[in-house]
Amino acid sequence: MLMTLNQLTGLPVVWQGSVVGQVDRGVMDDQARRLLGLIIRHGLGAAKWVPSRSISLIGQRCVVTAMRPLRLPQQLPSVASRVYLPNGSLLGQVTDALLCRETQRVQALEISE
């Protein structure tokens, strides 16, 4: 099943039967090939990190994690924001990514001029 990273935003994150936060955003690796993890928030507390290896299920209504969310890593990959053609000219901005929920691999990027 496919889903966009933007569709993940706002989904509740469940660990051991309890909601531990909501997805703030999904983070792709620096090559924009797979999901690296999720930044989640719960109330006014600090943002937390759910690494992709701990995600058991990405569903239509929630995300299930097998481990407690962690502190945000010191270094996250830079967001893939611009796409260039081989000749160096700007093609556009990355606005979303199509993700396979089972493999957590990015299938396509949405690019806007």
Side-chain angles (χ1 to χ4, degrees), residues 89-111:
S89 62
L90 178 65
L91 181 61
Q93 298 274 107
V94 175
T95 54
D96 203 356
L98 191 62
L99 179 74
C100 177
R101 293 190 312 194
E102 290 82 18
T103 64
Q104 300 177 11
R105 291 208 168 272
V106 175
Q107 302 298 310
L109 297 174
E110 179 182 272
I111 301 168

Side-chain angles (χ1 to χ4, degrees), residues 29-49:
D29 66 6
D30 56 359
Q31 298 291 316
R33 294 179 190 236
R34 64 187 257 328
L35 182 69
L36 193 61
L38 302 172
I39 296 174
I40 67 168
R41 294 189 182 276
H42 193 268
L44 297 175
K48 299 286 186 180
W49 177 249

Side-chain angles (χ1 to χ4, degrees), residues 81-94:
S81 60
R82 294 184 179 177
V83 177
Y84 295 91
L85 293 172
N87 67 7
S89 62
L90 178 65
L91 181 61
Q93 298 274 107
V94 175

Side-chain angles (χ1 to χ4, degrees), residues 44-62:
L44 297 175
K48 299 286 186 180
W49 177 249
V50 176
S52 63
R53 70 180 183 277
S54 74
I55 297 173
S56 300
L57 171 75
I58 299 175
Q60 297 252 345
R61 299 178 195 257
C62 73

